[in-house]
Amino acid sequence: MVTTWEYATVPVLIHATKAILDNWGSDGWELVQVVPGPAGNENVVAYFKRPTGEK
């Protein structure tokens, strides 16, 4: 059985990081990586994945 994935790229504001990550996690998304955003230190970009349920 092969797991297929869907991905999301999300800008995350530093002052609301936990709430944003908790919200995505409750929808079944797994955090893969966080990188600096294009605007500098005020935000970061989070990469998420979750199984699609397809085979």
Side-chain angles (χ1 to χ4, degrees), residues 4-13 16-35 44-52:
T4 58
W5 302 92
E6 63 179 320
Y7 300 90
T9 304
V10 181
V12 179
L13 300 174
T17 303
K18 181 176 178 357
I20 293 168
L21 297 178
D22 284 348
N23 187 47
W24 281 83
S26 68
D27 286 337
W29 292 94
E30 178 182 354
L31 180 64
V32 176
Q33 182 177 13
V34 176
V35 298
V44 295
V45 177
Y47 292 86
F48 294 91
K49 71 175 184 177
R50 70 177 172 186
T52 62

